[in-house]
Amino acid sequence: EGGLAERTGPKVDSDASKASTPLSPVGNEADGLVEIRALPQATALTALDVHPTLDLAVVNGLQQAVLFRPSTAQWLNAINIAEGDVSDLRFSRDGKLLMVAAGQAAVSGTVTAFDVETGKRIWQVADETDSILTFDLSPNGHLLAVGGPSKTVRIYEVPSGREMHALKKHTDWVLNVRFSPDGLLLASSDRFGGIFVWEPIQGAVFHGLKDHTGAAHAIAWDVDSETLISGGEDGKLRTWNMHHGLLTSCWDAQVGPILDLARSSGFTSAAGRSGKVVVWSNPETQVAHYEIGDQAETLVRTADSQHWIVGDNRGQLSILEATKLGLVATLSLPTDASAMQKLLVRLDEAEQSYATTLQSAAAQAAANSLPEKAKESVAVPQPATDDSVGMRDSTNSTNSSRRDSEFALELEVNRRQVAEVEELLQQSNRVLSRLAQHNEQLVELLTQSSEAQAELAQQISKQAQMLALLRARTRQLEEAAAMR
């Protein structure tokens, strides 16, 4: 249904050092890959990831996951995403799967996994009622964590799709979820600045980290799984020790509000709203910086650690040299100025088809509501054919008379329906009035009951006091009698 061709093809060589080409050039639809769709206009690149071993990366397109080769800045192919707009995408840690979160805002969200070699669907997990803003697959491939506007982190079993845990500590949209490299912990961050670290198997909170002010957009793990790095709207990079859940360092990333960060080979890189990318070796040492020229949305480092790739708000990918951040190449998804006009034409056609369907349904409903005798004289209007066009002049008066008859019958039916609805409305109003009277009576009875309870309480109090006095007088008399 999504347009993927079920064909077999050559296997992909998983050794990144070999010269074999893992994907075909643009235009070849083999292995379930299709041509890249042209965008109506440049769109922000909000989802970006790199393959863990191959010279391969992926970015969001027009309801597509678009593949490209970073070393040569060459577009390759795309995979159609039938579920809707792409909100996040990631390669699995073993490099065998490309996973795509897609759906419609406030309607649906799901994660679909595709085979990197063939582009064929492998599994689909999660059936959310809103967009999935972020997801991650555990290193062993058994657990999928998703988050979004529901403020809940859900953990699913893969590939069965069984929901294992619904983690509900967040107070705002969940913006990021990431499994630790050893798979023992799961970190999640939200739009209010809250960061939680979970034990995914048990579904229990391990640490709550709440030092950020404003949204915590980005989190990343160090390779040892003992340090979590976070960044957000306040522009500060923070490192957290997972043994005690304590903040170990905090410094200004100098990129404005941080929208994404990446950790690789002892370096931490941050990208932000100011359009800057800065690489740090530690909190005091800035290695390099580069200005994109527009808001930097996404940031990743290639598998060979030779390049950083930045996706920005104007739809451009910047490939930067790893240490000095020199610009190597830029890439932009293809755009088609006529695509918007084509889309508008399609929308007009769909609207006309929908209107025709509504008219036909309304006529059918009116005919069904008429008495049996009247139905025989009323027909649902049908489109004119070539044979009927030549007979129009001879049947003009007959058609006019029939239309008048149909109109009169439909009017009579509508009048009867109006009368019935009015009668029902009057009955409802009468019932409502009686209920209001009963409510007033109940309120009056409750008031009287409350007053009676208060009066009875006063009497009980007085009787208790009198009983105490009588008991005291009785003891006095008993003592006097004993002395005699």
Side-chain angles (χ1 to χ4, degrees):
E1 291 179 356
L4 298 178
E6 295 188 7
R7 304 177 187 174
T8 58
K11 297 291 184 181
V12 177
D13 195 333
S14 60
D15 189 347
S17 64
K18 295 183 180 180
S20 60
T21 302
L23 295 170
S24 306
V26 172
N28 186 348
E29 295 190 7
D31 302 332
L33 303 172
V34 298
E35 290 188 355
I36 300 172
R37 292 174 182 155
L39 299 167
Q41 59 186 14
T43 305
L45 302 178
T46 56
L48 174 68
D49 198 24
V50 292
H51 195 278
T53 57
L54 299 176
D55 180 22
L56 181 65
V58 63
V59 70
N60 63 295
L62 182 58
Q63 294 189 355
Q64 287 184 325
V66 183
L67 300 156
F68 65 97
R69 186 174 290 115
S71 63
T72 59
Q74 177 190 7
W75 293 116
L76 297 172
N77 292 91
I79 297 175
N80 286 337
I81 309 300
E83 287 73 21
D85 296 324
V86 175
S87 53
D88 197 12
L89 39 76
R90 290 181 67 80
F91 287 101
S92 59
R93 285 169 171 80
D94 61 9
K96 295 180 180 179
L97 299 177
L98 170 61
M99 298 164 291
V100 183
Q104 301 179 45
V107 176
S108 64
T110 190
V111 177
T112 306
F114 299 88
D115 187 280
V116 172
E117 297 180 358
T118 64
K120 295 175 64 175
R121 290 173 179 247
I122 304 300
W123 48 256
Q124 188 172 82
V125 171
D127 186 14
E128 300 288 301
T129 57
D130 206 337
S131 300
I132 293 176
L133 301 181
T134 179
F135 74 91
D136 196 19
L137 185 70
S138 62
N140 62 10
H142 295 165
L143 300 178
L144 179 76
V146 305
S150 67
K151 309 175 188 177
T152 301
V153 176
R154 299 189 190 277
I155 299 179
Y156 294 93
E157 185 181 61
V158 176
S160 69
R162 178 174 67 92
E163 182 179 318
M164 296 184 61
H165 302 293
L167 312 176
K168 298 183 178 182
K169 287 287 185 180
H170 288 285
T171 59
D172 210 326
W173 292 13
V174 179
L175 302 179
N176 218 318
V177 294
R178 290 292 179 266
F179 280 98
S180 60
D182 59 14
L184 298 179
L185 297 175
L186 171 70
S188 57
S189 64
D190 64 37
R191 199 170 59 170
F192 191 68
I195 299 175
F196 291 93
V197 181
W198 314 84
E199 295 176 286
I201 301 297
Q202 293 80 13
V205 176
F206 189 68
H207 290 308
L209 316 174
K210 299 183 179 180
D211 197 52
H212 279 278
T213 57
H217 293 288
I219 50 177
W221 289 93
D222 210 348
V223 291
D224 58 7
S225 298
E226 295 182 358
T227 301
L228 180 70
I229 307 158
S230 62
E233 202 68 27
D234 55 13
K236 302 292 181 64
L237 281 170
R238 291 172 170 82
T239 60
W240 309 84
N241 178 275
M242 287 296 100
H243 289 289
H244 307 290
L246 298 177
L247 181 69
T248 55
S249 62
C250 176
W251 74 98
D252 188 346
Q254 300 182 19
V255 297
I258 300 170
L259 297 183
D260 204 0
L261 63 88
R263 177 76 174 165
S264 176
S265 304
F267 295 96
T268 301
S269 182
R273 293 192 192 280
S274 66
K276 294 181 181 179
V277 178
V278 179
V279 177
W280 300 82
S281 59
N282 56 60
E284 292 80 26
T285 307
Q286 181 185 131
V287 177
H289 73 277
Y290 183 82
E291 294 192 15
I292 299 297
D294 210 322
Q295 178 171 295
E297 297 279 352
T298 52
L299 172 68
V300 292
R301 193 167 187 177
T302 56
D304 58 7
S305 297
Q306 297 300 308
H307 300 96
W308 298 95
I309 307 176
V310 186
D312 64 30
N313 198 41
R314 60 187 173 182
Q316 180 174 283
L317 290 168
S318 299
I319 302 175
L320 308 176
E321 191 270 332
T323 54
K324 297 182 180 180
L325 289 188
L327 181 64
V328 176
T330 59
L331 267 175
S332 296
L333 286 168
T335 58
D336 181 3
S338 65
M340 183 64 73
Q341 187 60 38
K342 294 176 182 177
L343 177 60
L344 292 175
V345 170
R346 287 174 55 195
L347 291 174
D348 287 341
E349 292 174 351
E351 184 179 1
Q352 292 174 5
S353 175
Y354 181 60
T356 301
T357 302
L358 283 181
Q359 291 175 358
S360 178
Q364 185 66 50
N368 290 338
S369 65
L370 294 175
E372 290 298 326
K373 291 183 178 181
K375 287 182 182 180
E376 297 175 0
S377 61
V378 178
V380 178
Q382 299 294 332
T385 63
D386 293 339
D387 294 337
S388 64
V389 169
M391 301 173 62
R392 284 178 180 168
D393 293 339
S394 62
T395 60
N396 224 3
S397 59
T398 303
N399 288 342
S400 178
S401 176
R402 180 175 297 176
R403 284 196 297 270
D404 291 343
S405 176
E406 293 172 3
F407 178 78
L409 288 171
E410 185 178 357
L411 180 60
E412 180 61 27
V413 170
N414 288 343
R415 284 174 175 171
R416 286 203 303 269
Q417 292 176 345
V418 168
E420 291 174 359
V421 173
E422 287 178 346
E423 177 61 26
L424 290 174
L425 182 60
Q426 291 175 2
Q427 293 177 3
S428 299
N429 285 331
R430 289 194 292 269
V431 172
L432 182 62
S433 177
R434 287 197 296 271
L435 288 175
Q437 292 176 0
H438 291 323
N439 286 339
E440 291 177 358
Q441 294 173 1
L442 287 173
V443 170
E444 185 177 352
L445 288 173
L446 288 173
T447 303
Q448 293 175 359
S449 176
S450 298
E451 293 174 353
Q453 288 177 357
E455 185 178 350
L456 182 58
Q458 290 177 357
Q459 291 177 1
I460 292 173
S461 177
K462 290 178 181 180
Q463 291 172 355
Q465 292 174 0
M466 185 178 296
L467 180 60
L469 292 173
L470 288 172
R471 285 177 175 172
R473 180 58 178 165
T474 301
R475 284 195 298 271
Q476 291 174 358
L477 292 174
E478 288 176 347
E479 291 173 357
M483 290 176 63
R484 289 182 181 180

